[in-house]
Amino acid sequence: MPRTKEQFEVMRKGSRQRILDAALEVFAKQRYHSATVGSIAKTAGISKGLMYNYFKSKEDMLNELMIGMMENLMCEFMPLKPDRKFTQDDIVNFINVGIDLVLEKPYYWKLYFSVFVQPDVMAMVYDKMMEAGKPYMEGLTEYFRSKGEANPEFMMRYFAAVMDGIQLHCMLDPKSFPAETVKKLLIRQFV
Amino acid sequence: MPRTKEQFEVMRKGSRQRILDAALEVFAKQRYHSATVGSIAKTAGISKGLMYNYFKSKEDMLNELMIGMMENLMCEFMPLKPDRKFTQDDIVNFINVGIDLVLEKPYYWKLYFSVFVQPDVMAMVYDKMMEAGKPYMEGLTEYFRSKGEANPEFMMRYFAAVMDGIQLHCMLDPKSFPAETVKKLLIRQFV
Amino acid sequence: MPRTKEQFEVMRKGSRQRILDAALEVFAKQRYHSATVGSIAKTAGISKGLMYNYFKSKEDMLNELMIGMMENLMCEFMPLKPDRKFTQDDIVNFINVGIDLVLEKPYYWKLYFSVFVQPDVMAMVYDKMMEAGKPYMEGLTEYFRSKGEANPEFMMRYFAAVMDGIQLHCMLDPKSFPAETVKKLLIRQFV
Amino acid sequence: MPRTKEQFEVMRKGSRQRILDAALEVFAKQRYHSATVGSIAKTAGISKGLMYNYFKSKEDMLNELMIGMMENLMCEFMPLKPDRKFTQDDIVNFINVGIDLVLEKPYYWKLYFSVFVQPDVMAMVYDKMMEAGKPYMEGLTEYFRSKGEANPEFMMRYFAAVMDGIQLHCMLDPKSFPAETVKKLLIRQFV
DNA sequence: TATGAATGAGGATTCATTCAT
DNA sequence: AATGAATGAATCCTCATTCAT
């Protein structure tokens, strides 16, 4: 009995996701250039050849992975409806989760930062990132305005930059970086 | 008649510098692993082989480059003997120059951040970078102690992280990043 | 539809053997260091890359080759279990076959002697060769002991050296070397 | 005052010899392929470029070296007038010196044996070797004839092969090869 | 004659990608 | 859809040789 088109479609989705999961894992352990297509295939439990039914190339895989990851991160980072106004608690949460996530999923963040330094990848992801991030940036700006900041847009950018700096250092030295103390300081400063 | 020792010395210095300049540019544009020795040679306008008269390996090149870069940056950052205590003016200078340099020498910073994000590359230079940076980190800690901070080491780390975040964003969006306003804010906060 | 495991197995065996054959020929004609992986691949009629599906490195290829060769030679030399004692007939056979083989399989012997003469290459395979040859050396020693030789170990070494000398000259001048007469003399002397 | 042609000639000879000496030393430590022209030049105390005033190529150097070495070895091996008949003492001396030389100048012998396995080098040296060796081979044949051997030419070839085998093994394992015992055995057998 | 910086062909090795089955 | 053997271009690196001085 031949499978229906829907069944095939589901199978494809499943395989695709399994490959992406494997790719994330392998890229996490070895970097993009050291990670071989072979090892990704083995981790995914399929043959090298089959991967090329799902992805045009190794680079294609990386890009798909990054785009998916951005969305994923955004979701966990700010599990709020973007149309609601940010309260002080949201910002506190933003700070806490922002730092905790680095410790929990370091590889996601390594990928995140590595986007910044790869102009070509950056170009691909930039638009999607901006689009996804916009509501949050606007929400933050609004928040700082409501706090009475003279230049709320500036504060938003400053806050974003500081968060990235903290996350970067936290990622580079998760063992000894004083994450908890930094959280308190950030909350005192921005909330 | 052979060239004199001095003539050879001049030739070597020139070639070496040309290679390092090219390496900086290429490593910054493409990342370490993607940057090929061939493309560096082509950028420097010399043959691949010649590079190995000056550097033991590609990795050696990165090392020398990072060391030179650190020294160079440190010089401009803090034109003082590292054994002298940092004054408030030094910190002001640190902030101002730190941000200006990103705009003036983007290659330096792209290389700097790209190394951060590639663990395997980071591993190559970590020791040398730490060694070069240590006196400044200690100087900063001492500065925060003299300011009466309860936890000067923490403040130093926080300050460093914030500076890196600012520099990263400044590098990514040099056109519209509010560099001047940020400088003022940082000075108010840390000096 | 993919090939079965067995089909792949057959393919691998075939390719592996073709590579080893080519390696024997090329290593014997040119010496280890002069023989390029490319020329071996060309002789085997395959791509350079494929060789690395079967051998870790050029050195690994030499090792595998030498091991296979030793086993092969030993087999023909002494079609007995090495744990059984050598009889006079075995030694006669050893001498006869030892000389005939030089004429039949000159590549084997050229490789064998060329390895001897290149200390760095010898170092690569020394251990494995000794291990493979040990039982035969011990068997020979035992044989000379049973013959009542005062110093059987010495005789074994002397016999081995003489055989190598004969084989070397036989290899260098297969046309006019008096192989048959030498056999008779050796048998008279050692059996 | 310009030097005379003869003076120039002498200088050239001197430099040439210095280079060959250096080459022998360097080839002895590292093998032909590992020994770089640069290291030979440094050992000889001259520049790489200058070497090419004296030798067409690195290979040319090796060949010159080998030819010189053959003559040298022959000289030491058989310090007799080739026209005189070999006495028993000469043969004893031949055996003793033949083995001692291997222990004293192992590298000479490694070169000697390596000639055998390099067909192209062999072709170059073969004629010279035969020519130089002929009187000795004839002398040996004559010696065995005078001893009453039925087939003196055969004995000469056998003797030569045995000597080469002994020398080969002695060279490969100078520490533990029972050189003295072998000498006695050879003398008993052939004198 | 003498130097050593510079070249470039060629070496081993890796790995994304293809393709016959 | 699935396999993995096979390819070959690309990588880093070495070193004999050349050449301007």
Side-chain angles (χ1 to χ4, degrees):
Chain A
M1 185 163 28
R3 288 184 182 80
T4 65
K5 273 190 184 156
E6 286 75 22
Q7 281 176 311
F8 273 124
E9 191 56 27
V10 168
M11 284 172 66
R12 271 191 75 83
K13 274 268 171 71
S15 293
R16 236 188 109 83
Q17 194 52 50
R18 236 180 318 136
I19 296 172
L20 282 177
D21 290 346
L24 179 60
E25 183 183 331
V26 175
F27 283 145
K29 286 179 187 159
Q30 312 151 51
R31 295 266 92 200
Y32 177 72
H33 273 95
S34 327
T36 69
V37 171
S39 67
I40 296 173
K42 192 186 287 179
T43 304
I46 58 162
S47 74
K48 263 186 301 180
L50 189 53
M51 301 201 29
Y52 287 85
N53 283 358
Y54 296 96
F55 299 96
K56 234 180 38 254
S57 66
K58 187 187 173 188
E59 198 183 333
D60 184 38
M61 249 175 53
L62 177 66
N63 293 333
E64 297 277 331
L65 193 58
M66 279 185 165
I67 290 169
M69 187 205 61
M70 289 310 282
E71 289 167 2
N72 211 318
L73 272 185
M74 286 297 181
C75 259
E76 294 211 51
F77 215 5
M78 277 259 148
L80 342 147
K81 309 273 174 286
D83 52 350
R84 189 156 60 74
K85 287 215 166 155
F86 289 174
T87 63
Q88 288 201 337
D89 282 356
D90 290 331
I91 306 303
V92 169
N93 185 55
F94 190 95
I95 290 168
N96 285 329
V97 174
I99 291 176
D100 289 342
L101 273 178
V102 176
L103 298 168
E104 283 164 24
K105 306 195 174 182
Y107 182 60
Y108 266 51
W109 290 95
K110 282 177 188 169
L111 262 193
Y112 171 76
F113 281 111
S114 75
V115 172
F116 291 161
V117 232
Q118 274 175 296
D120 44 347
V121 181
M122 183 72 174
M124 291 191 48
V125 183
Y126 190 78
D127 289 343
K128 289 210 176 234
M129 241 175 80
M130 279 300 140
E131 200 185 338
K134 209 172 188 181
Y136 298 93
M137 284 160 60
E138 285 171 355
L140 277 172
T141 308
E142 210 47 50
Y143 165 77
F144 283 119
R145 189 187 319 282
S146 74
K147 260 194 71 186
E149 286 287 345
N151 191 342
E153 164 129 20
F154 163 80
M155 275 309 285
M156 181 274 287
R157 295 198 74 156
Y158 178 68
F159 177 64
V162 168
M163 280 300 288
D164 272 341
I166 299 297
Q167 287 169 327
L168 183 63
H169 277 230
C170 194
M171 182 188 89
L172 291 174
D173 185 9
K175 295 260 164 59
S176 77
F177 190 81
E180 292 309 314
T181 320
V182 164
K183 277 184 198 168
K184 279 181 215 141
L185 180 58
L186 288 176
I187 289 168
R188 209 180 330 130
Q189 184 176 2
F190 290 103
V191 182
Chain B
M1 201 158 3
R3 288 185 181 80
T4 65
K5 281 253 164 67
E6 288 74 21
Q7 282 174 308
F8 279 128
E9 190 60 29
V10 168
M11 287 170 75
R12 282 190 73 81
K13 273 263 171 71
S15 290
R16 205 189 134 86
Q17 196 51 51
R18 239 177 311 138
I19 293 171
L20 282 177
D21 291 346
L24 174 59
E25 183 181 332
V26 176
F27 280 146
K29 279 187 185 160
Q30 312 160 48
R31 315 173 65 191
Y32 176 76
H33 282 112
S34 320
T36 70
V37 172
S39 69
I40 297 173
K42 192 183 288 180
T43 304
I46 56 151
S47 71
K48 264 184 300 183
L50 187 57
M51 307 205 23
Y52 291 88
N53 273 354
Y54 297 94
F55 302 97
K56 270 204 319 288
S57 65
K58 188 184 170 186
E59 182 175 338
D60 184 41
M61 250 177 53
L62 178 67
N63 257 309
E64 296 285 315
L65 190 56
M66 293 295 288
I67 290 172
M69 199 188 71
M70 289 299 277
E71 283 170 6
N72 212 315
L73 283 182
M74 289 301 178
C75 253
E76 301 213 46
F77 253 157
M78 289 250 154
L80 13 124
K81 310 274 173 287
D83 51 349
R84 189 154 63 72
K85 289 217 167 146
F86 291 173
T87 64
Q88 291 201 335
D89 283 354
D90 291 330
I91 306 302
V92 169
N93 184 57
F94 192 95
I95 291 167
N96 285 328
V97 175
I99 291 175
D100 290 341
L101 275 178
V102 177
L103 301 167
E104 282 164 26
K105 305 194 175 182
Y107 282 159
Y108 270 31
W109 291 98
K110 289 206 168 143
L111 177 55
Y112 176 75
F113 281 112
S114 84
V115 165
F116 268 15
V117 168
Q118 301 172 82
D120 50 346
V121 181
M122 185 69 175
M124 296 176 190
V125 298
Y126 186 80
D127 288 346
K128 311 224 167 186
M129 268 179 65
M130 279 299 133
E131 201 182 337
K134 209 172 185 184
Y136 294 90
M137 283 161 59
E138 285 170 355
L140 279 172
T141 307
E142 210 46 51
Y143 165 75
F144 284 119
R145 189 189 317 286
S146 74
K147 261 194 69 184
E149 287 287 346
N151 191 341
E153 166 126 17
F154 164 80
M155 276 309 284
M156 181 273 286
R157 295 196 74 156
Y158 178 70
F159 177 63
V162 168
M163 281 299 289
D164 272 341
I166 299 297
Q167 287 167 327
L168 181 62
H169 278 230
C170 194
M171 185 187 89
L172 291 174
D173 185 10
K175 296 259 164 59
S176 77
F177 190 80
E180 292 309 314
T181 320
V182 164
K183 279 184 197 169
K184 278 182 214 139
L185 179 56
L186 289 175
I187 290 168
R188 212 180 328 131
Q189 185 176 359
F190 292 103
V191 183
Chain C
M1 204 157 0
R3 287 185 182 81
T4 65
K5 281 252 162 68
E6 287 75 22
Q7 283 174 309
F8 279 128
E9 191 58 28
V10 169
M11 288 170 74
R12 282 190 74 82
K13 273 263 171 73
S15 289
R16 203 188 137 87
Q17 196 51 52
R18 240 177 310 137
I19 294 171
L20 282 176
D21 290 347
L24 174 60
E25 182 181 334
V26 176
F27 280 145
K29 279 186 186 158
Q30 310 160 48
R31 315 171 67 192
Y32 177 75
H33 282 112
S34 319
T36 69
V37 172
S39 70
I40 297 173
K42 193 183 285 179
T43 304
I46 56 150
S47 71
K48 263 185 302 180
L50 187 56
M51 308 205 24
Y52 290 88
N53 272 353
Y54 297 95
F55 302 97
K56 268 203 322 287
S57 65
K58 187 184 172 186
E59 183 176 337
D60 183 42
M61 249 176 55
L62 178 67
N63 258 308
E64 297 284 316
L65 191 57
M66 293 295 287
I67 290 171
M69 197 188 72
M70 289 298 277
E71 283 170 7
N72 212 316
L73 284 182
M74 290 299 178
C75 254
E76 301 213 46
F77 252 158
M78 288 250 153
L80 12 125
K81 310 273 172 289
D83 52 349
R84 189 156 62 73
K85 289 218 166 146
F86 291 174
T87 64
Q88 290 200 337
D89 283 355
D90 291 328
I91 308 301
V92 169
N93 185 57
F94 191 95
I95 291 167
N96 285 327
V97 175
I99 291 175
D100 290 342
L101 276 178
V102 177
L103 301 167
E104 284 164 23
K105 305 196 175 181
Y107 283 158
Y108 270 30
W109 291 98
K110 289 205 169 145
L111 177 54
Y112 176 75
F113 282 112
S114 83
V115 166
F116 269 14
V117 169
Q118 301 172 81
D120 49 347
V121 181
M122 185 69 174
M124 295 178 192
V125 299
Y126 187 81
D127 289 344
K128 312 225 167 188
M129 268 178 65
M130 279 299 135
E131 200 182 339
K134 210 173 186 185
Y136 294 89
M137 285 162 57
E138 286 170 355
L140 279 172
T141 307
E142 210 46 50
Y143 165 76
F144 284 119
R145 189 187 318 282
S146 73
K147 261 194 69 185
E149 286 288 347
N151 190 342
E153 165 124 21
F154 164 79
M155 276 309 284
M156 181 272 287
R157 296 197 72 156
Y158 178 69
F159 177 63
V162 168
M163 281 298 290
D164 273 341
I166 300 296
Q167 287 168 327
L168 182 63
H169 278 230
C170 194
M171 184 186 88
L172 290 173
D173 185 9
K175 296 261 164 59
S176 77
F177 190 81
E180 292 309 316
T181 321
V182 164
K183 280 183 197 169
K184 280 183 214 139
L185 179 56
L186 289 175
I187 290 168
R188 211 181 328 130
Q189 183 176 359
F190 291 103
V191 182
Chain D
M1 186 164 27
R3 289 183 179 82
T4 66
K5 274 190 184 156
E6 285 76 21
Q7 282 176 310
F8 274 124
E9 191 57 26
V10 168
M11 282 173 67
R12 272 191 73 85
K13 274 268 172 69
S15 293
R16 235 188 110 83
Q17 195 51 51
R18 236 183 315 138
I19 295 171
L20 281 177
D21 290 346
L24 179 60
E25 183 183 332
V26 175
F27 283 145
K29 287 179 187 159
Q30 313 152 52
R31 297 265 92 201
Y32 177 72
H33 272 96
S34 328
T36 68
V37 171
S39 68
I40 296 173
K42 192 186 288 181
T43 304
I46 59 162
S47 73
K48 262 185 303 180
L50 189 53
M51 301 200 29
Y52 287 85
N53 283 359
Y54 295 96
F55 299 95
K56 231 180 39 254
S57 67
K58 185 186 173 186
E59 197 184 336
D60 184 38
M61 249 175 54
L62 177 67
N63 293 333
E64 296 277 332
L65 192 58
M66 280 185 164
I67 290 169
M69 186 205 61
M70 291 309 281
E71 290 168 0
N72 212 318
L73 272 185
M74 288 293 182
C75 260
E76 295 211 53
F77 213 9
M78 277 258 148
L80 341 147
K81 309 273 172 289
D83 52 349
R84 187 156 62 73
K85 286 216 169 150
F86 289 174
T87 64
Q88 289 201 337
D89 283 355
D90 290 331
I91 306 302
V92 169
N93 186 56
F94 190 94
I95 291 168
N96 286 329
V97 174
I99 291 175
D100 289 341
L101 273 178
V102 177
L103 299 168
E104 283 164 24
K105 306 195 174 182
Y107 183 61
Y108 267 50
W109 289 95
K110 282 178 187 169
L111 262 192
Y112 170 76
F113 281 111
S114 74
V115 171
F116 291 162
V117 232
Q118 276 175 292
D120 46 345
V121 182
M122 183 73 174
M124 292 191 50
V125 183
Y126 191 79
D127 288 345
K128 290 210 174 231
M129 241 175 81
M130 280 299 139
E131 199 184 340
K134 209 171 187 184
Y136 297 94
M137 285 161 59
E138 286 171 355
L140 277 171
T141 308
E142 211 47 51
Y143 165 76
F144 284 118
R145 188 188 321 282
S146 74
K147 261 193 70 185
E149 287 287 347
N151 191 341
E153 164 130 19
F154 163 80
M155 276 310 283
M156 180 275 285
R157 294 197 73 156
Y158 178 69
F159 178 63
V162 168
M163 280 299 289
D164 272 340
I166 299 296
Q167 287 169 327
L168 183 62
H169 277 230
C170 195
M171 182 188 88
L172 291 175
D173 185 9
K175 296 258 164 61
S176 77
F177 191 81
E180 291 310 313
T181 320
V182 164
K183 278 184 197 167
K184 281 182 214 139
L185 180 57
L186 288 175
I187 290 168
R188 209 179 331 130
Q189 183 176 2
F190 291 103
V191 183

